[in-house]
Amino acid sequence: MAPEGVRRALVTGSSSGIGLAIAQGLLDQGWDVVGLDLAPARLVHPAFSSTEVDLCDAAATEHAVRSAGPVQALIHAAGVLRVGPLGTLSSEDSTLMWRLHVDAVTRIANQVVPAMAQAGAGRVVLIGSRVARGMAGRSQYAATKAALVALARSWAAETVASGVTVNVVSPAATETAMLADPARTSVPPKLPPLGRLIQPREIAALVTFLLSADAAAITGQDIQICGGASLAA
C-alpha cells in the first residue's frame, strides 16, 4: 500500500491495552511506529518513537502530529470508558469521551489523510466498540463510538478513489486495564458466547491485516471482533 520501504504508522493510545498490542504487532511486521499517548511509552524498539500528549488538547495534538512527519497509516486506539444510567450522567464524562474518541482523531485525520490521498495510498483504522449499537448504562460511550462509524464511512467515501481505506474495528469486551477502571465497577463486562474476553493481540492481528496490500478493497466497514456476541443481536 505504501511506497516500497516506507511503512510508517501513527498509533494513538500506544502505551497500553489495544493500542500497545497494535503498536507491537506493527513493529513485528516491519513497520515504523509513532505513538501518541498521555502515558509514558512502554515499548522500546529502534523503529518506535513516541510523544506524551493529551489528545484532548487540540493545539498539543496538532503540534505532535506535525512533529511526527508523514505517515502511511493512522490507527486511533486511544480511549476511555465512563458509565452510568440516566439520572447520573455527567456532562464532563460526555465531553471527555467525545474529545478523546471523536474530536482528537478528526484533528489528526484532517492533517494526515489528505497527504495519504495525494500520495495515492494510505490506511486509517479506528478502534470502535460493539457497544456502539447501544447498551444500558453506557449511552455516552456508545454515542462516541457510533460517531466513529459515521466518520469512517464518510472519510472512506471521500478517499476511496485515492487509494486510501478507512475502517472501524469494533471489539466486544476486551481484556485490558480499562475493565479494572473504578469508574466502571457498577457495570461489569459481559462475556461473549465464546466464553472469554477478547484479547488485544486478536484485535492487533486484524488491524495489521487491514493495513496490508491484501486489504485494499476493504473500506468504509465496521468489522466486529465479538466472540459470537453479535449472533444473538
Side-chain angles (χ1 to χ4, degrees):
M1 53 149 289
E4 186 176 355
V6 180
R7 298 201 305 170
R8 196 157 181 258
L10 181 65
V11 180
T12 71
S14 58
S15 295
S16 64
I18 294 171
L20 176 60
I22 291 170
Q24 184 63 68
L26 292 175
L27 291 168
D28 292 344
Q29 292 292 321
W31 284 78
D32 287 351
V33 176
V34 179
L36 300 182
D37 203 308
L38 184 62
R42 291 175 55 190
L43 283 172
V44 177
H45 191 286
F48 178 76
S49 61
S50 66
T51 299
E52 291 181 33
V53 59
D54 181 358
L55 293 173
C56 293
D57 183 326
T61 298
E62 292 173 1
H63 175 73
V65 174
R66 285 194 300 271
S67 300
V71 296
Q72 289 72 50
L74 164 63
I75 302 93
H76 183 48
V80 65
L81 175 63
R82 297 291 183 266
V83 301
L86 284 166
T88 68
L89 299 181
S90 160
S91 61
E92 289 79 10
D93 288 347
S94 183
T95 297
L96 170 63
M97 288 186 284
W98 183 267
R99 291 174 67 183
L100 181 58
H101 298 162
V102 182
D103 188 59
V105 75
T106 301
R107 292 178 183 279
I108 296 169
N110 198 45
Q111 289 182 252
V112 304
V113 175
M116 294 181 191
Q118 186 173 12
R123 297 286 187 270
V124 178
V125 179
L126 312 180
I127 302 302
S129 172
R130 218 186 92 75
V131 174
R133 295 189 172 193
M135 182 175 290
R138 302 185 194 179
S139 58
Q140 294 166 304
Y141 179 79
T144 62
K145 290 298 187 175
L148 292 182
V149 177
L151 284 181
R153 290 184 62 82
S154 300
W155 294 343
E158 291 182 30
T159 62
V160 62
S162 301
V164 177
T165 68
V166 187
N167 292 289
V168 179
V169 171
S170 293
T174 304
E175 190 170 354
T176 68
M178 185 182 288
L179 294 187
D181 189 336
R184 60 151 299 156
T185 54
S186 62
V187 186
K190 182 179 180 181
L191 285 181
L194 183 64
R196 63 168 175 82
L197 299 172
I198 308 302
Q199 297 300 305
R201 67 177 181 277
E202 295 172 313
I203 301 164
L206 176 55
V207 171
T208 300
F209 171 71
L210 290 173
L211 267 59
S212 71
D214 289 337
I218 304 173
T219 193
Q221 302 304 303
D222 178 14
I223 306 171
Q224 295 193 28
I225 302 182
C226 67
S230 62
L231 299 177

